[in-house]
Amino acid sequence: MEHKGLRILIHASTWFAPLLVPLIVYLLISDREVKSLALQAALFHIVIGLLIGISAFFSWVLIGLPFLIVFGLMAIIAPLMGIVRALNERAYRYPIVGSWVK
């Protein structure tokens, strides 16, 4: 599996540049699998950001608190799983948006 370091960088970018790094990689790299992963990561960060925002808004009536916890954990755990899979040179598809990108 080529671009192992780049795959790890895409997953790890969730903590320092969640949209910038995947979009730069998507535009600069020609490898189809890496482009797919970068697009998945960017979409995942957008969707999780929206879900956390909506959950935070509804947390004032206590409906959003469980969702806020679940989506917050998902935002942390999913990239960590991606990093572990990249270190083991295995493919990873992000939850929620993984099936949207081919």
Side-chain angles (χ1 to χ4, degrees):
M1 185 178 278
E2 290 184 33
H3 305 290
K4 180 178 177 180
L6 200 52
R7 292 172 191 265
I8 294 169
L9 179 67
I10 291 170
H11 294 301
S13 72
T14 192
W15 295 289
F16 60 90
L19 291 176
L20 186 64
V21 171
L23 291 177
I24 288 173
V25 169
Y26 182 80
L27 294 173
L28 295 179
I29 299 298
S30 61
D31 184 8
R32 190 176 179 128
E33 289 182 30
V34 175
K35 283 183 95 123
S36 173
L37 180 64
L39 187 57
Q40 284 181 51
L43 286 173
F44 178 77
H45 296 311
I46 291 169
V47 169
I48 283 294
L50 288 172
L51 291 173
I52 287 174
I54 292 168
S55 298
F57 175 75
F58 283 115
S59 67
W60 62 275
V61 290
L62 301 178
I63 294 171
L65 282 178
F67 293 109
L68 188 61
I69 293 168
V70 168
F71 296 139
L73 288 173
M74 188 183 294
I76 294 169
I77 294 170
L80 287 175
M81 289 175 53
I83 290 172
V84 170
R85 293 264 178 110
L87 287 171
N88 293 328
E89 297 184 2
R90 295 176 53 204
Y92 180 71
R93 299 192 71 76
Y94 274 90
I96 301 172
V97 299
S99 62
W100 298 351
V101 179
K102 298 286 180 186

